[in-house]
């Protein structure tokens, strides 16, 4: 069964850190994978992506310098290290895979076929 399973969310105070994990089962990526988040009442937004073939990474402006996306190919796992967390980072975080390719944007949720169930991150001030 092909699935993505996220873990590592939790509640922290502002300035704290968390590391999210996303284990891919029955699926091996050779393209873009990403982390998205969705806060209550807001659209799902992409925060970080990695081109798994080469390890190239890209971040949305609001998390640059604070978040780091990485992969462990041996474990088929994607990570998101989140430092200097802010209350605005509070959201349900999702892992995305199976990028549709072509001219699609890596920041568009419609560009991915495979999603995890999400893991909640709550940052208090």
């Amino acid at each position: 069964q092909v699935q993505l399973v996220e873990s590592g969310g939790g509640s922290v105070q502002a300035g704290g850190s968390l590391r999210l994990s996303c284990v891919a089962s029955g699926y091996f990526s050779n393209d873009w994978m990403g982390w998205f988040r969705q806060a209550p009442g807001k659209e799902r937004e992409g925060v970080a992506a990695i081109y798994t073939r080469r390890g190239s990474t890209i971040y949305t402006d609001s998390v640059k310098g604070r978040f780091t996306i990485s992969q462990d190919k041996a474990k088929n796992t994607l990570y998101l290290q989140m430092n200097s967390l802010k209350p605005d980072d509070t959201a349900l975080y999702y892992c995305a895979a199976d990028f549709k390719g072509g001219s699609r944007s890596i920041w568009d949720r419609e560009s991915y076929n495979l999603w995890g169930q999400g893991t909640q991150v709550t940052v208090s001030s």
Side-chain angles (χ1 to χ4, degrees):
Q1 182 181 0
V2 177
Q3 62 177 354
L4 302 176
V5 179
E6 303 99 332
S7 62
S11 296
V12 296
Q13 290 191 327
S17 298
L18 286 172
R19 188 176 83 154
L20 306 184
S21 299
C22 170
V23 178
S25 300
Y27 174 79
F28 178 76
S29 175
N30 202 30
D31 207 309
W32 288 97
M33 290 185 70
W35 285 99
F36 284 68
R37 67 185 181 187
Q38 188 166 16
K42 294 188 177 181
E43 294 290 320
R44 190 173 300 188
E45 64 169 348
V47 296
I50 184 168
Y51 187 54
T52 57
R53 186 181 305 181
R54 298 176 184 169
S56 307
T57 59
I58 189 168
Y59 302 90
T60 193
D61 286 346
S62 62
V63 307
K64 280 181 182 177
R66 301 189 298 120
F67 290 12
T68 303
I69 187 171
S70 62
Q71 61 178 335
D72 185 331
K73 289 187 175 182
K75 296 181 179 180
N76 217 19
T77 300
L78 187 70
Y79 299 102
L80 186 67
Q81 177 66 44
M82 306 185 296
N83 299 327
S84 302
L85 282 162
K86 304 175 181 180
D88 284 349
D89 295 319
T90 295
L92 191 58
Y93 283 72
Y94 297 91
C95 174
D98 195 14
F99 183 64
K100 296 179 182 179
S103 60
R104 294 181 180 274
S105 169
I106 59 172
W107 298 125
D108 185 350
R109 61 179 294 182
E110 299 299 326
S111 297
Y112 299 87
N113 287 312
L114 192 58
W115 291 86
Q117 82 289 349
T119 185
Q120 178 67 38
V121 172
T122 303
V123 185
S124 58
S125 58

